[in-house]
Amino acid sequence: MTTTATSHRTRPPAQPDSLRAKRLPWYAAPAIAVAALALSAVLVYGTSIGGPVLVVVLGAILYLVGLFAAANAVEGRRSARNRTWSALIHSALVLAVLPLVSVVWTLVSKGADRLDVNFFQTSMNNIGARDANGGAYHAIVGTLEQVGIATLITVPLGVLCAIYIVEYGRGKFAFAIRFFVDVMTGIPSIVSGLFVLAFWVLIVSPWFNDGRPSFSGFAAALALSVLMLPTIVRSTEEMLRLVPAPLREGAYALGVPKWKTILRVVLPTALPGIVTGVMLAIARAAGETAPVLLVAGGGAAINTNPFENNQSSLSLFVYQQAGDASKYAPARAWTAALTLVALVLILTIAAKLLARRNRLSR
């Protein structure tokens, strides 16, 4: 039996209009949103029960109700539920982004007033209440040195501790380490400052300072290390646990020792996540004020030696300028806050680029 192949395929018959699913027009959702905001404004301002915030909140509720009713009437109940939940998810995204955008806009708009050369090249030494000059050079130096020393201390300790917990730790000892790391995650920053004050400043530093206690940037770095350590340990531990077991087993099957497998396979695979955890810890340390105030003392002059005398930081500088009576102090505080955020952003981008360059190729 022979069959003859057709030279072209026949198109399927078009579906009748009765079988096509009805859809709301593209302009329906924006129109419902505008109508909901307008109705909300009339209700709120007409009854004088609130302001713009209540208008937005009530408008969002009315928008969800109106969208569900319109979709239910045209598309059916199932599609209406889908549209409503999608709108809730998008609303949650907007609510999450709005505070971030507000913070960034406030920092940029108010911090741009003192973005000049004088702010980044001078300190507050010999600056009076009526002097419009003065900058945060001493605070920038202090932040870089304190956070840098804390990072050099904490990152090796945290990564090695996480490697022990994941790769070697068994039994009660590993459980105890994990438990105390979790406890340290929630300690207030003032507690770490008090600990370093009681141990390093009052007991250890007199040995190197003719019997007198001494504030220093290094003491602040130690206090910041206490805060950074649990974040690095926990984030690194979770990233190491996400490394697929076949990668380890393949290396072991080729006769690679365990320590070299961890160094050459496990760590490069988990490196992007580890870097993220390290940058979160650095961001927290850079923004801490209480430990620096307790053990470094602050100061208006430039001090590039972190092991001697008082030293300031950007977070402490913001705190001091925000409480200063001078009319020029708020501008300095906003610019210092903007500088701190920009500094953390630059370090995060640099670390991400470095991790992407050095991670294990797949």
Side-chain angles (χ1 to χ4, degrees), residues 146-147 149-155 157-158 180-200 217-234 280-282 284-286 288 291-292 295:
Q146 294 164 20
V147 175
I149 294 174
T151 303
L152 292 177
I153 294 173
T154 312
V155 171
L157 288 176
F180 283 110
V181 168
D182 291 338
V183 172
M184 288 178 61
T185 304
I187 64 172
S189 59
I190 191 70
V191 175
S192 67
L194 289 173
F195 169 73
V196 175
L197 176 67
F199 172 69
W200 182 266
F218 181 73
L222 292 179
L224 297 179
S225 298
V226 176
L227 299 175
M228 293 173 62
L229 184 61
T231 302
I232 295 177
V233 172
R234 290 298 293 166
L280 288 175
I282 290 176
R284 181 191 178 186
E288 291 294 344
V292 181
V295 300

Side-chain angles (χ1 to χ4, degrees), residues 156-174:
L157 288 176
V159 173
L160 290 175
C161 181
I163 290 175
Y164 173 79
I165 293 175
V166 176
E167 304 291 341
Y168 297 96
R170 298 292 185 275
K172 296 182 178 179
F173 185 65

Side-chain angles (χ1 to χ4, degrees), residues 306-359:
F307 300 99
E308 293 182 2
N309 300 325
N310 291 19
Q311 195 176 54
S312 185
S313 68
L314 280 172
S315 59
L316 182 57
F317 180 82
V318 172
Y319 170 76
Q320 292 172 340
Q321 291 299 309
D324 200 308
S326 173
K327 67 177 182 179
Y328 303 107
R332 300 190 194 107
W334 282 111
T335 305
L338 178 61
T339 303
L340 180 59
V341 173
L343 184 63
V344 173
L345 177 63
I346 292 172
L347 292 176
T348 302
I349 294 175
K352 287 289 186 180
L353 293 177
L354 183 63
R356 180 181 298 179
R357 180 178 180 182
N358 293 332
R359 68 180 177 179

Side-chain angles (χ1 to χ4, degrees), residues 220-283:
L222 292 179
L224 297 179
S225 298
V226 176
L227 299 175
M228 293 173 62
L229 184 61
T231 302
I232 295 177
V233 172
R234 290 298 293 166
S235 60
T236 304
E237 178 187 354
E238 295 302 324
M239 291 302 104
L240 294 179
R241 293 187 185 279
L242 291 177
V243 176
L247 289 178
R248 296 181 176 88
E249 296 170 356
Y252 298 153
L254 294 174
V256 181
K258 187 172 185 176
W259 67 270
K260 187 173 289 188
T261 300
I262 296 172
L263 185 63
R264 298 293 182 87
V265 177
V266 177
L267 285 179
T269 305
L271 186 60
I274 295 175
V275 170
T276 301
V278 171
M279 295 313 302
L280 288 175
I282 290 176

Side-chain angles (χ1 to χ4, degrees), residues 36-45 49-62:
L37 285 176
L39 179 59
S40 175
V42 171
L43 292 175
V44 171
Y45 291 115
I49 59 175
V53 176
L54 184 59
V55 170
V56 174
V57 174
L58 182 59
I61 297 174
L62 293 176

Side-chain angles (χ1 to χ4, degrees), residues 11 26 39 50 63 88 100 118 130 134 141 148 201 205 209 226 230 254 267 298 300 312 325 348 353 359-360:
R11 295 182 179 180
W26 63 269
L39 179 59
Y63 168 72
L88 282 173
L100 177 62
N118 179 266
R130 298 183 179 180
V141 171
V201 176
S205 66
N209 195 36
V226 176
L254 294 174
L267 285 179
S312 185
T348 302
L353 293 177
R359 68 180 177 179
L360 184 66

